Amino acid sequence: MAIFAIAPQRNFAPMKTQTTLRWLNFALFGLALWFFGNLYEEVILMPNWLVAPLDVLQAYNRYYTVVIQYHYYVPITQVAVIVLIVCCFTANPARQQAGRDLGRAAIWGTIALVLTAWIVLSLNLDLFIGQLTLTETEAHRKGLIWMLGNGVRLICVGLSLWYTIRVRDAIR
């Protein structure tokens, strides 16, 4: 009789692990999308912004009225971090290290989200949205600040991505 009471628990654990793995894979997709999108902006987009005359920067802004950047990032990147946070409270990784790494992934992802909110509200609205009304000096200064902030954000997203990969590999 005791064997039948234990059997459902053994079947439940792998199912929960498989569900967790699916959610972690979704989070990995969102984090990788975020990381490589911001890496592209850091390496290609902003250096062009910083060396271009103001009329070229205005042409970029006209381009971004048609190709809207946030369609690339919203809502997948934010949902990926929310998935990590939810997994912290619902997943039960078999290894204690995997649980700590899952918490670290969620913390670094949350820091990246907060930093992104600051970058969007204090820099992107002036640099990328609508008519460029800044002077060339002010646009250059804000572009430099954006590059530094984005560099820090890349580190945070990269760490979240790395810890998530470690957790996924540990419970696979």
Side-chain angles (χ1 to χ4, degrees):
M1 190 73 157
I3 294 172
F4 294 112
I6 294 173
Q9 292 174 340
R10 287 187 180 181
N11 291 335
F12 179 73
M15 187 172 75
K16 185 168 184 165
T17 301
Q18 288 301 315
T19 303
T20 302
L21 278 173
R22 286 187 193 105
W23 283 112
L24 287 175
N25 285 328
F26 172 80
L28 282 171
F29 171 75
L31 292 170
L33 182 79
W34 190 7
F35 179 81
F36 289 108
N38 281 140
L39 182 63
Y40 171 81
E41 290 177 350
E42 184 79 8
V43 173
I44 303 299
L45 181 67
M46 286 312 288
N48 287 326
W49 252 87
L50 294 176
V51 299
L54 202 54
D55 58 334
V56 174
L57 302 180
Q58 290 170 340
Y60 266 129
N61 273 3
R62 284 193 304 275
Y63 172 72
Y64 283 122
T65 61
V66 177
V67 180
I68 301 171
Q69 295 166 308
Y70 57 80
H71 288 173
Y72 181 83
Y73 298 106
V74 176
I76 292 174
T77 58
Q78 294 82 15
V79 173
V81 174
I82 291 168
V83 164
L84 289 176
I85 293 168
V86 169
C87 282
C88 281
F89 293 105
T90 60
N92 190 10
R95 297 188 183 144
Q96 198 172 21
Q97 183 62 38
R100 284 194 295 267
D101 285 347
L102 186 57
R104 290 176 181 133
I107 289 169
W108 284 113
T110 303
I111 292 170
L113 278 181
V114 170
L115 186 56
T116 296
W118 176 80
I119 288 171
V120 167
L121 294 175
S122 65
L123 301 170
N124 284 14
L125 292 178
D126 292 337
L127 290 172
F128 299 112
I129 309 297
Q131 187 92 13
L132 185 64
T133 58
L134 301 171
T135 65
E136 196 163 333
T137 305
E138 186 66 14
H140 184 78
R141 185 184 73 78
K142 286 195 174 207
L144 285 173
I145 294 169
W146 188 96
M147 281 190 79
L148 291 172
N150 189 56
V152 173
R153 175 172 52 184
L154 277 170
I155 292 168
C156 294
V157 175
L159 285 168
S160 183
L161 185 60
W162 183 63
Y163 282 120
T164 305
I165 289 170
R166 284 180 50 156
V167 172
R168 192 238 7 228
D169 290 347
I171 66 173
R172 236 192 322 187

